[in-house]
Amino acid sequence: MATLDRRGFLRAAGLVGAAPLLSPFAGTAAASASAATPSGATTAPSGAALPAPAAWRLRPFALADVSLGSGVFADKRALMLDYARGYDVNRLLQVFRANAGLSTLGAVAPGGWEGLDGEANGNLRGHYSGHFLSMLSQAYASTGEQTFADRISTMVGALVECREALNRPPSVGSVPGRFGTAVESQRGSYQFLQLPPTVLGAAAQLTFAAWVKPSHDAAWARIFDFGNDTTRYMYLAARNQNRMPRFAITTGGAGREQGINGNVALPVGEWSHVALTLTGTVGTLYVNGAVFGRNTAMTLGPAQLGQLRNYWLGRSLYPDPVYAGAFDEVNLWSRALTDAEVAALSTQPASASPAGRGDLASYDLDETDGQVLQDSSGRGQHAGWLRTWGGPSHPGFLAAYPETQFITLETMTASNYTVVWAPYYTAHKILRGLLDAHLATGDPRALDLAEGMCDWMYSRLSKLPATTLQGMWGIFSSGEYGGIVEAICDLHALTGKAEHVALAKLFDLNRLIDSCAGAQDILDGLHANQHIPILTGLVRLHDETGEDRYLAAAKGFWNMVVPARMYAIGGTSTGEFWRASGRIAGTISETNAETCCAHNMLKLSRVLFFHEQNPKYMEYYERALFNQVLGSKQDKADAEKPLATYFIGLTPGHVRDYTPKQGTTCCEGTGMESATKYQDSVFFAAADGSALYLNLFVASTLRWAAKGVTVEQSTAFPVEQGTRLTIRGNATFDLMVRVPSWVGPGFAVAVNGKALKVDAVPGTYLRIARSWRSGDMVTLSLPFTLRTEAALDDRSLQSLFYGPVNLVTRDASRSYLSLGLYRNAALSGDLLPSLEPVEGRPLHFTLDGREVAPFHEGTEDPTHVYFRRAEPTVVLGGRETGVANPVRANGVSLLDELWSAAPYRNKTELLKALESLTSSWVRDGLLTADERSTILATARARRSSTDRPARHEPGRADRGPSARRSAR
């Protein structure tokens, strides 16, 4: 079908004002008008409200003010709410508590991206907890269920404890030892023992002995490492690359190491006694009192190394993992103990053994807190318990890993996510989660944590030169910072602190801003989700500063993505990146449409619509929400996983993966958020309260406290092709109804059963001005038609839509299917008669024996979003002419031109158009006169049922064959 004209778009005359904005999470503003709230309205959770940006011509409603009715959205949300109720939040907090050196309460980290064993060494850990906090906040705001508030409080309280612990010197963790108690360096805490530089004195010989209980099997974690740097050192590693203990000593770096490799592994979770002796040319390695390695050609020892700077237990001079596990009974002697003496140490404390305590140093490690570990040798070589990274540069720092990722980023010039993986992106997720928690529950602790994080970031970033900042933000992956600017601006709206606006501006990526504001498309080759949320932040930065370039950049950017880089389902990106503008068919892959991109494009479209009520933003919002976002959530319950996609491959026969990568990915995080805020854009209000916008057709009830009314939207849409609004309470306002661009002939509006005479143009908003009375009902008929959309770079590659619903063919074939649809086209141009409805299964059809179903169903069926359009011959009304369907050089066929001119009022009008059209094709030499005659003769003989234009009954649901017949 041809693109519909958007003329006649009616803009709301929204006034710029300072009315309070109902936060998506808070009900405070609504509650303040409780006297006007109709009886029966639910009480919103007590939270906080953001003040409204003066530039917004529209106001969103709080999640608490719009409740979902039954239907596909409520069903999908219910699955996610069960996950939100049941998942152990202590597992999410594990990485934060470990980093702070606190007890993890026996919890196991979620794994995947949210654990040390995940991708890139877990360098993104903490991000998922932020998403989870946002999900809980939205769940509480939507339902008022105390369970969600309790879980928010638990997480916020734990994060307060973590921040406090990070701002204290680390304290030893005491655990049961081999003899008495021991000290433990918890994995992820980055804690170690530092011995004094005088510990070895002038010893020429050495024995080191200790009890160790590793809690993890990481290679190259050090039991001890004494040295200056990576040139001059000696170490004992619990595991080498072969998982065996290794001792090495060198004065010339790794290539000149003299070593001893053990031949027995140290078991994880069990105590082992390890000892090393060095004397003359002999070095011996012992495990549990027995010799397991010996080198008789040693030329290096403590004397050759001389005085060293660092004497560490548990830490490496290389960028190796910090030892995770417990130490007990560490002793050092200035001589080489005998085999018998070492064997005795494996059965009794050194103090009771023939060797006695170490004469260089002797640590019982019985301390239960503090930083000092006492030396009992009599030499006063007391050890310290430290963090490898020291401590935060500012008391507001909060993360699930050390500050080192942020520090290292400042000197990076190229991406390396195994070293630094988007620390400010992770900071954004935590910050956003805390803000959402505060807005949902009013918890002042969450706001204090959020303020502290921003104060810390400002203290770091404000010291850096502008060139350094521009370089950082331009680095792929490592420099990614997500929607942090939006979150900072929201915080500024709450606090009014000038430093927060200054901080937000420090994230300006000038090349992106200037290019997008100037309509210069530079997106080819850029990482999609690294950049989309930047633009949402720029809109908010415009709101807080009034700088026009930020808003101009966001609008320019949006137009570069939609439709030029948009797939049929509303998603964008291939392999996470963008390609050249207009390339759709040429980018189809198994890794299309990263789900985060759709989530963030919805946020950007929404905030742009607050500024400019251009229907294109809500047209896109509906497309992406009803297709990709709904379809990214599997229709299945799971207590351990959110079951949301990462990529949605658009290759033929692709099967969606709802447990992507190693788990706890960014897209599962945004998937949790999307599924708990489906209702956030159904209704908007004009800033001055003069109008109510109906944007989406979703079963829902709005409580508009400022007007003293409720508006109930009753519909089974998209199963039902219509909706009804029932108004309770008396008020005067304009109802702005979106007339979708996809709507077919027969769009109608009735108030209290009386049809209104409207000149509704698809792709616009229709204004209904009225003084409403309680009980008024507005009925909308929204007829669907079946249509196709061609890829921008290949007309033959098409997708199928029924109204707003993307229909996919379920077929395991890995090649594009060839489908024809003109065979039974109706006079309206509707292609639906070519499909056979499936009785009892709304929105399900068959075509050429294959199942056709909505994309939004979260199944694991192999699907085809795109197919090859094949109309080889001219077929009219189901009758085959036997004439090849000619095609022009631009790829447009005779039948394309015929049906693009639909609708036709009757058969006579169709025949007249066909006569004119075929005559022009004969003149152009694309059709012979005989072929034309055959086509016209067949058309005149079409069965009489096609004489009738398509009819659509208001509000009729698509329930089977009758729906198909009514569309003919």
Side-chain angles (χ1 to χ4, degrees):
M1 300 290 289
T3 302
L4 292 164
D5 188 358
R6 297 179 184 275
R7 69 186 183 279
F9 163 54
L10 301 175
R11 296 176 182 270
L15 299 179
V16 174
L21 163 65
L22 296 183
S23 138
F25 308 96
T28 301
S32 67
S34 59
T37 302
S39 61
T42 60
T43 303
S46 177
L50 289 168
W56 287 9
R57 298 175 64 190
L58 299 181
R59 302 289 185 261
F61 289 96
L63 291 178
D65 293 334
V66 184
S67 57
L68 284 177
S70 60
V72 61
F73 288 97
D75 292 344
K76 296 261 188 182
R77 185 182 71 173
L79 294 171
M80 195 63 79
L81 291 180
D82 283 344
Y83 170 69
R85 291 184 191 98
Y87 194 81
D88 183 3
V89 295
N90 285 308
R91 294 188 63 188
L92 297 168
L93 293 166
Q94 194 272 352
V95 290
F96 287 91
R97 286 170 167 151
N99 186 52
L102 298 175
S103 169
T104 60
L105 308 181
V108 177
W113 287 12
E114 199 70 3
L116 282 161
D117 294 318
E119 189 171 346
N121 309 310
N123 281 346
L124 211 66
R125 61 192 182 278
H127 82 114
Y128 195 78
S129 300
H131 285 299
F132 201 92
L133 256 181
S134 291
M135 172 181 65
L136 290 176
S137 302
Q138 293 172 174
Y140 178 57
S142 295
T143 68
E145 189 176 318
Q146 188 60 36
T147 297
F148 300 125
D150 292 343
R151 309 191 107 220
I152 292 168
S153 182
T154 296
M155 293 188 72
V156 170
L159 293 176
V160 169
E161 293 174 356
C162 289
R163 188 178 71 173
E164 291 173 349
L166 286 169
N167 282 287
R168 298 191 301 264
S171 180
V172 297
S174 180
V175 295
R178 181 62 178 82
F179 304 110
T181 60
V183 296
E184 181 181 43
S185 175
Q186 186 169 230
R187 188 165 186 243
S189 69
Y190 300 90
Q191 295 176 352
F192 71 105
L193 287 89
Q194 179 168 282
L195 309 186
T198 55
V199 67
L200 295 188
Q205 299 182 31
L206 177 67
T207 296
F208 173 91
W211 284 95
V212 294
K213 185 181 181 181
S215 60
H216 190 259
D217 64 354
W220 300 112
R222 303 296 202 250
I223 293 173
F224 75 78
D225 201 337
F226 301 161
N228 291 337
D229 45 36
T230 56
T231 299
R232 195 176 196 87
Y233 56 78
M234 64 175 169
Y235 69 77
L236 176 59
R239 283 173 175 75
N240 62 10
Q241 73 276 16
N242 297 318
R243 302 305 193 203
M244 300 297 174
R246 172 174 170 81
F247 168 76
I249 185 169
T250 183
T251 57
R256 297 175 61 185
E257 286 183 357
Q258 298 176 13
I260 309 170
N261 291 317
N263 57 13
V264 61
L266 304 182
V268 172
E270 296 180 17
W271 285 105
S272 298
H273 187 265
V274 294
L276 168 79
T277 62
L278 292 174
T279 179
T281 62
V282 180
T284 306
L285 183 61
Y286 301 84
V287 176
N288 293 326
V291 175
F292 278 98
R294 180 164 279 160
N295 185 337
T296 59
M298 305 285 287
T299 61
L300 298 175
Q304 285 70 40
L305 290 182
Q307 181 63 47
L308 303 170
R309 288 194 297 272
N310 305 301
Y311 295 84
W312 295 336
L313 303 188
R315 180 180 179 182
S316 173
L317 289 159
Y318 284 88
D320 295 313
V322 177
Y323 169 81
F327 286 104
D328 197 6
E329 280 275 321
V330 176
N331 284 269
L332 294 91
W333 289 265
S334 59
R335 65 184 180 88
L337 300 188
T338 66
D339 291 351
E341 287 175 315
V342 172
L345 291 172
S346 68
T347 61
Q348 56 192 311
S351 59
S353 74
R357 290 185 178 276
D359 63 320
L360 293 176
S362 180
Y363 305 101
D364 292 334
L365 303 180
D366 289 331
E367 289 78 6
T368 58
D369 57 26
Q371 276 192 290
V372 179
L373 299 115
Q374 297 293 322
D375 169 32
S376 299
S377 70
R379 293 184 64 231
Q381 301 297 299
H382 309 307
W385 187 256
L386 304 175
R387 295 189 191 100
T388 60
W389 56 284
S393 64
H394 185 280
F397 173 76
L398 177 64
Y401 47 68
E403 197 173 353
T404 48
Q405 279 208 65
F406 299 91
I407 297 168
T408 304
L409 176 62
E410 295 169 7
T411 57
M412 291 182 73
T413 57
S415 177
N416 184 347
Y417 83 144
T418 64
V419 176
V420 173
W421 190 4
Y424 285 97
Y425 171 95
T426 300
H428 163 243
K429 303 312 170 193
I430 299 167
L431 176 63
R432 182 77 261 172
L434 290 168
L435 280 173
D436 291 347
H438 171 68
L439 293 171
T441 67
D443 192 331
R445 300 174 301 169
L447 181 61
D448 182 65
L449 288 169
E451 281 197 73
M453 288 187 70
C454 287
D455 292 345
W456 156 70
M457 283 187 275
Y458 185 69
S459 75
R460 285 210 71 85
L461 297 177
S462 63
K463 297 183 179 74
L464 298 177
T467 52
T468 299
L469 292 171
Q470 292 301 310
M472 286 164 55
W473 308 142
I475 299 175
F476 160 61
S477 186
S478 298
E480 184 175 354
Y481 55 80
I484 200 165
V485 173
E486 178 195 19
I488 295 168
C489 288
D490 285 353
L491 179 63
H492 173 257
L494 291 171
T495 66
K497 290 177 65 173
E499 292 87 349
H500 293 157
V501 168
L503 171 62
K505 290 173 69 68
L506 291 174
F507 287 93
D508 280 2
L509 182 53
N510 289 329
R511 178 172 178 263
L512 180 70
I513 296 170
D514 295 341
S515 298
C516 292
Q520 178 187 355
D521 192 329
I522 62 166
L523 302 190
D524 187 10
L526 292 185
H527 185 266
N529 197 53
Q530 180 164 343
H531 294 87
I532 298 170
I534 293 177
L535 280 300
T536 304
L538 292 180
V539 179
R540 288 291 291 114
L541 195 50
H542 162 80
D543 298 338
E544 299 302 305
T545 67
E547 294 188 33
D548 290 337
R549 77 181 188 118
Y550 294 134
L551 183 59
K555 290 180 178 180
F557 170 86
W558 194 93
N559 291 328
M560 294 173 193
V561 177
V562 181
R565 292 178 170 89
M566 180 192 74
Y567 299 110
I569 59 174
T572 187
S573 78
T574 182
E576 302 189 13
F577 288 82
W578 281 308
R579 301 306 175 206
S581 179
R583 285 196 65 198
I584 301 297
T587 62
I588 298 297
S589 73
E590 287 289 313
T591 56
N592 290 128
E594 183 185 353
T595 305
C596 280
C597 293
H599 172 88
N600 284 312
M601 281 299 296
L602 289 187
K603 294 186 69 173
L604 176 59
S605 301
R606 183 177 190 258
V607 75
L608 285 173
F609 192 68
F610 294 157
H611 283 269
E612 177 190 9
Q613 288 70 64
N614 190 325
K616 69 182 182 180
Y617 297 123
M618 283 297 114
E619 290 279 327
Y620 171 79
Y621 199 102
E622 179 185 65
R623 175 192 293 265
L625 177 66
F626 274 78
N627 295 294
Q628 173 159 4
V629 172
L630 270 185
S632 67
K633 173 71 186 85
Q634 188 173 17
D635 299 332
K636 177 181 173 181
D638 194 298
E640 292 296 308
K641 300 180 183 69
L643 298 181
T645 59
Y646 190 103
F647 294 120
I648 293 181
L650 299 177
T651 49
H654 177 81
V655 176
R656 280 172 238 171
D657 180 3
Y658 301 98
T659 55
K661 296 180 178 273
Q662 296 171 309
T664 61
T665 61
C666 54
C667 291
E668 289 164 286
T670 52
M672 294 189 295
E673 294 186 38
S674 290
T676 48
K677 66 176 186 70
Y678 288 137
Q679 76 271 35
D680 77 344
S681 298
V682 175
F683 299 100
F684 296 145
D688 63 352
S690 64
L692 178 68
Y693 280 70
L694 173 63
N695 305 307
L696 301 171
F697 311 112
V698 176
S700 54
T701 299
L702 165 68
R703 288 167 289 280
W704 193 4
K707 287 289 187 180
V709 300
T710 63
V711 180
E712 181 183 3
Q713 182 173 191
S714 303
T715 183
F717 190 93
V719 171
E720 181 180 2
Q721 297 180 25
T723 189
R724 291 161 299 285
L725 301 179
T726 303
I727 297 168
R728 306 293 181 191
N730 302 325
T732 299
F733 58 88
D734 294 347
L735 180 63
M736 305 294 292
V737 176
R738 187 171 67 85
V739 184
S741 61
W742 48 258
V743 77
F747 172 84
V749 183
V751 176
N752 298 329
K754 183 178 180 180
L756 300 185
K757 293 183 179 180
V758 295
D759 183 18
V761 178
T764 69
Y765 273 78
L766 172 70
R767 185 192 304 270
I768 305 175
R770 186 179 175 89
S771 291
W772 302 93
R773 295 292 176 261
S774 190
D776 281 351
M777 179 181 290
V778 180
T779 304
L780 301 176
S781 177
L782 301 162
F784 291 7
T785 59
L786 190 74
R787 70 187 193 283
T788 63
E789 291 185 1
L792 297 178
D793 53 342
D794 185 346
R795 285 186 56 85
S796 73
L797 193 68
Q798 300 185 3
S799 55
L800 193 62
F801 280 85
Y802 188 44
V805 179
N806 175 238
L807 295 178
V808 298
T809 306
R810 291 178 175 168
D811 191 286
S813 171
R814 299 297 286 169
S815 299
Y816 287 116
L817 303 175
S818 293
L819 302 177
L821 295 165
Y822 285 142
R823 68 192 76 170
N824 289 309
L827 291 173
S828 65
D830 190 355
L831 303 175
L832 184 63
S834 294
L835 302 186
E836 185 67 34
V838 177
E839 188 71 46
R841 299 190 70 190
L843 301 177
H844 282 248
F845 307 88
T846 58
L847 176 62
D848 296 340
R850 299 183 178 93
E851 181 183 9
V852 177
F855 179 92
H856 67 241
E857 292 185 348
T859 72
E860 294 178 298
D861 294 296
T863 60
H864 292 242
V865 171
Y866 287 96
F867 60 92
R868 289 289 178 196
R869 186 68 176 274
E871 307 284 354
T873 59
V874 177
V875 182
L876 297 167
R879 290 177 177 265
E880 176 64 65
T881 67
V883 177
N885 181 26
V887 180
R888 295 189 185 277
N890 63 2
V892 177
S893 72
L894 173 72
L895 288 177
D896 290 336
E897 286 194 9
L898 175 67
W899 292 114
S900 67
Y904 300 104
R905 286 174 296 180
N906 49 48
K907 180 178 177 179
T908 300
E909 186 174 287
L910 171 66
L911 285 172
K912 188 174 181 180
L914 187 60
E915 289 170 357
S916 175
L917 179 66
T918 53
S919 178
S920 69
W921 281 67
V922 170
R923 286 196 304 271
D924 293 341
L926 299 171
L927 198 67
T928 67
D930 287 345
E931 289 172 331
R932 178 175 184 266
S933 297
T934 300
I935 291 171
L936 293 177
T938 304
R940 294 185 182 104
R942 291 179 71 206
R943 58 182 181 271
S944 60
S945 65
T946 59
D947 290 351
R948 298 190 304 273
R951 295 184 295 107
H952 297 270
E953 299 178 32
R956 185 181 185 89
D958 169 23
R959 291 189 172 88
S962 61
R964 176 190 173 200
R965 286 192 290 270
S966 70
R968 284 190 173 182

